[in-house]
Amino acid sequence: MKTTQTGWLGRFPWHIAVFLAPAVLIYTLFMIYPLLDSIRLSFFTADDSGAISYAGFANYVTILGDPEWRASFLNALYNNLVFFLVHMLVQNPVGLLLAALLSLPRLRLRSTYRTLIFMPTMLSVVIIGFVWQLILSPLWGISETLLYYVGLVDWFEPWLGQENTALVTLSLISVWQFVGIPMILIYAALLLIPEDLTEAAEIDGANHWHIFWHIKLPLILPTIAMVSILTFIANFNAFDLIYAVKGALAGPNFSTDIMGTLFYRTFFGFQLQLGSPTMGATVATLMFLVILVGVLFYLFGVQRRLRRYAM
Amino acid sequence: MMKKLISTTALTGVVVGLGMSAAVADASLTIESWRNDDADIWNEKIIPAFNKVHPDIKVTFAPTPPADYNAGLNAKLAGGTAGDLITCRPFDASLDLYNKGHLTDLGSLDGMDNFSDVAKSAWQTDDGKATFCLPMASVIHGFIYNKEIFEEVGIDVPKTIPEFMDAVKKIKDETRYVPIAMGTADQWEAATMGYQNVGPNFWKGEEGRKAVIDGKEKLSDDAYVKTFEHLAQWKDYMGNGYKAQKYPDTQNLFTLGRAAIYPAGSWDITTFNSQADFKFGAFPPPVPANGDECYISDHTDIALGINAASPNKEAAEKFLSWMATSEFAEIYSNSLPGFFSLSNHKVEVQDPVAQEFVSWRDSCKSTIRNSYQILSRGTPNLENELWNVSAQVLNGTMSPEDAAAKTQDGLAKWYKPQM
C-alpha cells in the first residue's frame, strides 16, 4: 500500500541526498576542509614558541613584496610555466599523434603499442627519476655512447646539471612518463566517432588527412581541451619528479625550482632553513589561486565556446 | 600537497595515539634519527651493550632518510607521534625544537659534565643557560686520496695549495684518472666538502667565524673571495660532466679507483672501507703557503635529546646517561670510524684513516662550519645560499667575487651586526 506523506519532509528527494552523501562526505573531509584550513592558516603567523596569531595579509605582503621572496616566487612561477608549456607543446601533440596512429584501421600489434606507451605512467616517479638519471649520466649513462654511434657525441652535455638545460630536460622526462594519458583519452574519443561519418567522407572523396582535420579533430576537440586543463592542474601541482632528481633546493641556481618545491622548502624547511607552516600555507594558497585562475579561464573562456556534436 | 599533508598527519595522529596507550606499560624507547646508514650498528652493537646494563628497557632505532628527517620529525612532533629520543641536528634546527617545547632541558643530566663547553655549544640556548641535547659526535673535513694512484703518478701528499694544484695538474696531464672526485648536481658537496673544507685556512677558523658573527668581518672580505677563487681552480680537474654528477656517483667514482682525490667528510670512511679494494689515506686541507697555521672543520654534527612529550622520560634519561660513559664513546667511535666522540673520555680509534683524521686535532686548530651558528636564521638562508653559490662557482657560472658578495648581501639584509 502506498503511504502518502505530506509536507516538506515527504517531498524532499531523499534518494538524491543518500546517493550524494558518500562522495560529498569524503570529498569534504579530505579535500575541501584541508583546503579551507590551509587558506585559514595562511592568514596567521607563528612566533618562536610555535604559537600562532592572526596576521591578516602580512604573509602575502611578504611573499609578493619582499624582494627575496618575490624573486623566488616569480622564479618558481616562471619555471612552472615553462614546465607546463613543454607539456602542452610536446606531450599533448605527441599524445594526439600516437592516438591517431593507434586508430589507423590496419595497424597490427595495436594493444601492444598501447600498453607499452602507457606503461611509464604507472611507474613510480622515483624509479623514473632514477632510470633517467642513469641514462643521462655523464659517468655511467648510455646516452653518450648512443650519440657516439650516430656520430653526434659532440652534442652530449650533462643536461641535468646545467642551468639552461636542466628544467627542459626534466620536463621532457615528465612528458615521456605521462604521454600515455593524453594518448589514451584521445584514443578513446577517436574510437567513439561513428564509422558512417568517415565512410561517407571517403565516398565523397576525402583522404585520411582530410578526414582527420575536418571530421575527427573537430569531434575530439572537447577531449583535447579537457586534456589541456588536466595537464595544467597536474603541472602546477607537480613536485615529485623535481624533488626526486634535483632535491628540494632545485638546482643549479634554482633553475628547476617550481611551485611545489618552493612550497616544500617553505613549509617543511630545508637543511638549516626552518620550516614555517604559515608561510608554507601562503605559498600553497597562491598555488591554489594560480590553478583556480587557470581553471576559471578554461571554464568560461574555452569550454563554453567549444562546439559539441551529437554523434 | 597541503591537502594530503594535513589529512595524513591527522590520520597518523589517531593511529599512533592508539598505539601509545598500549605501549606505556613496559619501558620502551624509540630513537628518531636520520642516520639510516647506521641502523645495523645501533641494532647489533649499541643497543645490546645498553641492554647489558639496563635489560628492562627496550630500545628501538627508527631512522628516517636524511633528506626527509627534519620535515618528518617536525610533523611527528606536531602530531604527538614522535619517538622518545630525538637525534639533534646542530644549532638552530634543534634550538627551534627546544623553543617550541619539544625538547627537555638536560642541564642536570648525569654525565653531562663529561662534555666540554665547545662540544655542548651546538645544543645550547644563545645565552648558554640550557643544554637540550647530549653531544654525540663531530665529523672532520679533509681529503681522502687513492694511495696507489699517488704512487703510480709519483706525487707526495700536498701540504700547500700550490702543491695541491701541481698534484692535480700532474694527474690530469699524465693519467686518465679523474683528479678531483666531486659533483655539483646535489649542491651540498660544493658547500660542505668544498667551501667549508678549504675555507677555514683562509678565514682562520674560529677567529674568522666569530668575527663574522660579531660583524667585524664580512663574508665578502678577501679571505672568502680567496676561498672561492681556490674552488674555482678545481673545476678544470673535476670529472667529465661533473655538473650532473651526484653524491653517490662521486663515491662510486672514487671507490672504483677511477679518481685520485676525494674532498671528504670523515663519515665517508665507513663507506670506503667496505667498498674500496685499494689503499686510501687522508690529508688535511692544504694551507695557502708553507708555514701557515692549519685549520680544520671539526663540526659538531650529531647529538641526542629527549622528546618533552615522551611518557618514558626516566628511561630516556637512563639511556642518555649511559651514552655519556666511556663505554658508549668506545663503541660508537670504533663502529662508526669517522664519527668522533665529543666526550672527554680518552678513546682509542682503531681505524687508520680515522686515526689520521682525528690526529689533525693536535696539529691544526678546530672550527665548525661558519654558516651553522646564528647566521642561517634569516631569509635568504645563508646555508642555502652557500650551496647555491659554491655550486655555481664550481660550474663556472659565477665569479668568486660575485659569490662572496652575494652571500654578504644576503646576510646584510637581515643580520643586524652586518647591516
Side-chain angles (χ1 to χ4, degrees):
Chain A
M1 194 183 117
K2 199 181 168 197
T3 51
T4 46
Q5 278 186 331
T6 48
W8 183 83
L9 274 178
R11 270 177 288 124
F12 188 76
W14 284 108
H15 61 286
I16 295 180
V18 168
F19 283 123
L20 281 179
V24 168
L25 282 179
I26 291 173
Y27 197 73
T28 309
L29 188 62
F30 292 107
M31 302 288 277
I32 299 175
Y33 166 70
L35 183 68
L36 292 178
D37 200 50
S38 69
I39 294 176
R40 184 189 64 84
L41 190 61
S42 72
F43 292 106
F44 285 79
T45 184
D47 63 10
D48 280 350
S49 66
I52 59 170
S53 55
Y54 183 72
F57 282 91
N59 293 338
Y60 292 90
V61 171
T62 308
I63 290 186
L64 301 173
D66 179 84
E68 285 295 327
W69 278 101
R70 190 175 55 213
S72 39
F73 178 76
L74 290 180
N75 174 52
L77 191 63
Y78 172 79
N79 289 340
N80 221 146
L81 207 61
V82 173
F83 193 68
F84 168 62
L85 286 179
V86 171
H87 281 78
M88 279 304 282
L89 295 177
V90 183
Q91 177 189 277
N92 297 347
V94 171
L96 175 64
L97 180 75
L98 290 171
L101 290 176
L102 275 183
S103 62
L104 285 180
R106 273 183 296 276
L107 181 75
R108 295 171 59 201
L109 297 175
R110 188 190 312 269
S111 48
T112 314
Y113 292 135
R114 204 177 50 200
T115 313
L116 284 178
I117 296 170
F118 196 74
M119 200 107 83
T121 305
M122 296 180 292
L123 288 176
S124 149
V125 172
V126 181
I127 296 174
I128 303 273
F130 184 71
V131 167
W132 273 100
Q133 280 185 79
L134 271 185
I135 294 175
L136 297 175
S137 165
L139 292 169
W140 344 98
I142 54 159
S143 48
E144 196 171 1
T145 324
L146 288 178
L147 283 177
Y148 177 78
Y149 284 139
V150 293
L152 295 175
V153 72
D154 291 344
W155 291 20
F156 181 79
E157 284 172 41
W159 293 292
L160 279 173
Q162 299 179 139
E163 238 175 274
N164 51 350
T165 52
L167 181 61
V168 173
T169 311
L170 281 165
S171 310
L172 291 175
I173 293 174
S174 167
V175 164
W176 174 83
Q177 180 181 12
F178 289 116
V179 74
I181 290 180
M183 179 197 76
I184 225 80
L185 289 172
I186 296 169
Y187 177 62
L190 284 172
L191 287 186
L192 279 180
I193 297 173
E195 273 183 34
D196 348 357
L197 285 178
T198 48
E199 273 170 18
E202 256 176 83
I203 291 166
D204 286 344
N207 58 23
H208 273 311
W209 193 244
H210 287 129
I211 292 175
F212 181 77
W213 276 108
H214 297 292
I215 298 179
K216 289 185 171 173
L217 193 63
L219 288 174
I220 59 168
L221 262 187
T223 306
I224 292 179
M226 186 191 67
V227 164
S228 307
I229 195 66
L230 285 178
T231 310
F232 176 78
I233 295 173
N235 284 170
F236 275 85
N237 268 325
F239 160 74
D240 37 12
L241 181 68
I242 309 271
Y243 182 71
V245 176
K246 301 306 298 184
L249 212 54
N253 196 18
F254 297 107
S255 61
T256 55
D257 196 24
I258 59 172
M259 301 290 278
T261 42
L262 174 69
F263 162 76
Y264 181 91
R265 280 201 312 279
T266 316
F267 189 95
F268 292 106
F270 182 72
Q271 195 67 9
L272 302 189
Q273 178 189 344
L274 298 176
S276 162
T278 51
M279 275 309 242
T282 314
V283 176
T285 306
L286 286 170
M287 282 169 79
F288 170 69
L289 287 178
V290 169
I291 294 172
L292 189 69
V293 167
V295 173
L296 288 179
F297 168 78
Y298 166 78
L299 284 178
F300 295 104
V302 179
Q303 201 185 34
R304 288 183 169 196
R305 290 177 199 190
L306 284 176
R307 214 189 286 179
R308 276 157 221 279
Y309 303 88
M311 287 187 274
Chain B
M1 269 302 296
M2 217 26 227
K3 299 169 238 168
K4 270 189 207 153
L5 176 85
I6 291 180
S7 48
T8 41
T9 36
L11 209 69
T12 43
V14 173
V15 174
V16 178
L18 291 172
M20 289 243 279
S21 54
V24 175
D26 57 320
S28 70
L29 297 171
T30 305
I31 304 175
E32 299 281 351
S33 174
W34 69 86
R35 292 294 312 163
N36 48 357
D37 289 351
D38 306 345
D40 287 348
I41 285 151
W42 280 89
N43 291 327
E44 284 159 23
K45 293 190 175 159
I46 300 174
I47 295 172
F50 171 72
N51 279 341
K52 269 185 204 147
V53 194
H54 297 281
D56 50 326
I57 301 172
K58 187 177 172 298
V59 186
T60 316
F61 185 68
T64 327
D68 304 331
Y69 180 71
N70 294 20
L73 178 66
N74 282 328
K76 282 194 234 176
L77 285 168
T81 65
D84 310 273
L85 292 162
I86 311 282
T87 307
C88 302
R89 300 271 192 193
F91 296 106
D92 286 7
S94 297
L95 180 61
D96 183 56
L97 293 182
Y98 176 72
N99 285 338
K100 290 194 171 133
H102 292 312
L103 291 174
T104 55
D105 183 0
L106 300 177
S108 54
L109 186 88
D110 273 351
M112 203 47 134
D113 42 358
N114 288 336
F115 298 89
S116 70
D117 288 343
V118 179
K120 286 189 277 198
S121 69
W123 297 281
Q124 282 178 329
T125 44
D126 287 355
D127 57 15
K129 281 193 182 127
T131 308
F132 40 82
C133 297
L134 183 96
M136 279 167 71
S138 71
V139 291
I140 299 177
H141 285 303
F143 294 81
I144 294 180
Y145 68 100
N146 185 323
K147 280 188 173 167
E148 293 171 13
I149 295 180
F150 268 48
E151 270 167 37
E152 187 185 323
V153 188
I155 36 181
D156 293 327
V157 167
K159 293 201 173 55
T160 63
I161 286 176
E163 282 175 31
F164 179 83
M165 295 316 300
D166 286 347
V168 291
K169 187 167 185 312
K170 197 158 187 231
I171 296 165
K172 189 184 179 179
D173 291 347
E174 296 178 13
T175 69
R176 295 187 59 202
Y177 298 118
V178 175
I180 302 176
M182 187 152 97
T184 55
D186 288 334
Q187 302 184 77
W188 67 267
E189 301 105 299
T192 313
M193 331 277 235
Y195 184 83
Q196 303 287 8
N197 184 1
V198 300
N201 274 330
F202 290 98
W203 64 71
K204 306 212 175 306
E206 285 294 274
E207 206 181 297
R209 186 180 79 83
K210 292 209 166 114
V212 174
I213 292 176
D214 297 341
K216 285 181 201 133
E217 281 179 19
K218 292 184 188 320
L219 287 178
S220 52
D221 285 351
D222 213 29
Y224 302 89
V225 178
K226 279 195 175 134
T227 306
F228 282 121
E229 276 171 357
H230 177 45
L231 282 188
Q233 289 179 302
W234 289 13
K235 65 172 179 287
D236 300 328
Y237 303 99
M238 285 156 67
N240 206 2
Y242 66 90
K243 290 175 191 173
Q245 180 178 326
K246 303 191 84 168
Y247 180 54
D249 293 334
T250 310
Q251 290 180 312
N252 286 328
L253 200 63
F254 186 75
T255 52
L256 288 172
R258 283 170 51 176
I261 299 173
Y262 176 98
S266 52
W267 65 84
D268 285 312
I269 296 173
T270 327
T271 322
F272 290 175
N273 276 340
S274 63
Q275 287 179 9
D277 54 3
F278 51 85
K279 281 195 192 115
F280 58 90
F283 61 87
V287 291
N290 225 339
D292 283 358
E293 183 145 30
C294 63
Y295 297 85
I296 53 163
S297 165
D298 182 0
H299 189 69
T300 44
D301 190 55
I302 182 167
L304 203 66
I306 298 177
N307 180 355
S310 161
N312 304 313
K313 271 191 203 141
E314 233 171 274
E317 278 174 17
K318 276 184 194 161
F319 189 82
L320 286 190
S321 295
W322 177 76
M323 280 182 53
T325 61
S326 60
E327 188 189 358
F328 174 81
E330 191 84 46
I331 299 174
Y332 193 76
S333 303
N334 280 316
S335 22
L336 289 170
F339 284 88
F340 303 106
S341 168
L342 284 166
S343 68
N344 295 334
H345 305 292
K346 196 79 194 151
V347 177
E348 249 346 279
V349 180
Q350 312 287 339
D351 184 89
V353 184
Q355 254 174 19
E356 172 68 33
F357 268 96
V358 82
S359 73
W360 306 334
R361 278 184 178 165
D362 300 327
S363 50
C364 304
K365 286 189 171 172
S366 292
T367 180
I368 59 171
R369 296 180 199 151
N370 66 355
S371 51
Y372 271 62
Q373 193 178 24
I374 302 172
L375 299 183
S376 283
R377 274 180 197 172
T379 310
N381 184 279
L382 179 61
E383 176 74 0
N384 291 0
E385 293 241 293
L386 279 175
W387 289 26
N388 185 359
V389 300
S390 307
Q392 286 204 68
V393 166
L394 284 167
N395 283 349
T397 53
M398 190 180 239
S399 76
E401 293 78 19
D402 290 349
K406 184 157 192 239
T407 52
Q408 175 62 25
D409 289 351
L411 191 60
K413 274 195 184 110
W414 62 271
Y415 187 55
K416 286 238 168 62
Q418 287 287 357
M419 278 178 185

